[in-house]
Amino acid sequence: MDQEKIIELTDREAIRDCLYRYCRGIDRADEAALRSSYWPDAQDNHGAYCGSADGFIRFALAVFETGPCNIHQIANILIEFTSRAEATVESYFTALQRGPDNDGEIRQTLLCGRYCDLFQKREGQWRIAERTVVYDWCEEQTPPAVAEAERFGPRRPIGAPYPHDPVYALGKRGVHVAV
């Protein structure tokens, strides 16, 4: 295999890793993971928020204070390189979001759509430079009437925000996630 193909494969994997870091960051309320997925000057259009990535992260962190439950999954990642340092990336997502609305009532929403991203490679790292979230499905659901601890029964541990989720204990044991 020639060197150019090897570089392309490692670049593709770095882009996928960045997308997965974003999901961990948004689901676990992990600010460092979120910030590591965007360039500091990145722009984000999330529908409910449109502006700088820094502003989106601050917006998301404020939502995290309400104790929501988020689950994001990414699939069908299509990466098209426009140059050696730029790529357009379309990723399908499914997101289940549960938390209080402005009146304190618990809402649950299933969202499906696509992240349409412009990735840039700077100083050897791939991160999001521009993001537009395209919504293809939105379904308001009836949230469970009982808390997770009761619903899950003996199934433990239950996912938690940073730094309390069990995944972060792995890093303390010497397993490190590259950021």
Side-chain angles (χ1 to χ4, degrees):
M1 187 177 296
D2 69 13
Q3 190 63 26
E4 286 298 313
K5 192 64 174 171
I6 292 170
I7 291 170
E8 180 183 318
L9 289 171
T10 58
D11 286 346
R12 286 179 183 280
E13 189 59 24
I15 290 168
R16 279 190 291 272
D17 184 66
C18 181
L19 290 165
Y20 300 147
R21 258 192 340 270
Y22 168 82
C23 288
R24 175 183 282 177
I26 204 73
D27 290 344
R28 302 277 67 89
D30 184 336
E31 182 176 359
L34 274 175
R35 290 196 182 281
S36 76
S37 60
Y38 289 98
W39 287 113
D41 60 343
Q43 294 295 303
D44 191 300
N45 179 357
H46 245 79
Y49 173 87
C50 186
S52 70
D54 178 66
F56 170 72
I57 292 166
R58 285 185 278 116
F59 171 81
L61 291 173
V63 172
F64 293 142
E65 292 173 3
T66 67
C69 176
N70 292 314
I71 301 170
H72 287 71
Q73 296 177 336
I74 289 188
N76 301 356
I77 301 168
L78 182 60
I79 302 167
E80 298 174 351
F81 292 99
T82 56
S83 73
R84 289 183 178 197
E86 209 165 76
T88 58
V89 180
E90 178 186 45
S91 308
Y92 283 66
F93 72 86
T94 303
L96 180 66
Q97 299 176 329
R98 185 175 63 243
D101 63 13
N102 291 337
D103 296 326
E105 186 175 339
I106 300 298
R107 300 276 185 195
Q108 182 168 300
T109 307
L110 174 66
L111 299 167
C112 300
R114 293 166 287 129
Y115 296 127
C116 297
D117 296 326
L118 175 66
F119 269 77
Q120 291 180 342
K121 186 178 188 179
R122 303 178 193 172
E123 299 176 14
Q125 289 187 27
W126 285 96
R127 295 185 187 187
I128 301 163
E130 292 178 26
R131 167 166 280 178
T132 298
V133 180
V134 177
Y135 295 96
D136 295 318
W137 183 264
C138 180
E139 180 181 298
E140 295 294 328
Q141 300 179 334
T142 303
V146 296
E148 273 87 1
E150 185 177 340
R151 281 188 312 118
F152 286 36
R155 295 173 193 92
R156 300 278 193 263
I158 297 172
Y162 174 84
H164 307 291
D165 192 86
V167 72
Y168 298 102
L170 294 173
K172 293 177 183 172
R173 293 191 347 217
V175 178
H176 298 285
V177 178
V179 178

